[in-house]
Amino acid sequence: MARTTKSPDGASGPAKAKRPPIRKPNGEVVADDMIAKRAYEIYEARGGQHGADFDDWLEAERQLKQEQQFQAGQIPPAEGDRRKRARAAQ
């Protein structure tokens, strides 16, 4: 049986589809607890101000996805990373 939701006006309809999970390069799904941990780190870095939990979650997902793409060799390192490596090589 399909899930249904009720809107504030009482109308019912199909439940919202979830966003596809973030996957590691090896195909494993990034667990919500990893995203939650990163979102909490972002929250703390902002000084612990409430009200941006959804934005923190999305930023955590973005960061984890970017890290995984970098580890898989799908994206080049950030500009700052190149500079650090160039200095270290000198």
Side-chain angles (χ1 to χ4, degrees):
M1 181 177 209
R3 284 182 39 196
T4 60
T5 57
K6 287 196 175 190
S7 64
D9 63 0
S12 63
K16 274 189 174 179
K18 289 186 174 183
R19 294 181 349 172
I22 297 175
R23 296 193 177 274
K24 293 181 180 181
N26 64 3
E28 291 179 27
V29 175
V30 175
D32 281 352
D33 59 337
M34 290 176 66
I35 299 168
K37 182 180 177 188
R38 180 64 62 93
Y40 186 73
E41 292 168 357
I42 294 167
Y43 160 78
E44 286 183 325
R46 283 190 303 100
Q49 295 179 3
H50 296 281
D53 54 330
F54 185 69
D55 293 330
D56 293 345
W57 184 273
L58 294 178
E59 177 62 18
E61 283 184 330
R62 187 195 66 74
Q63 287 180 9
L64 289 169
K65 186 173 185 176
Q66 186 176 27
E67 287 173 13
Q68 290 163 358
Q69 289 174 337
F70 174 72
Q71 290 170 357
Q74 296 172 350
I75 59 172
E79 188 64 34
D81 294 340
R82 284 189 224 142
R83 283 190 226 129
K84 287 178 189 174
R85 278 200 301 259
R87 275 190 240 130
Q90 293 176 349

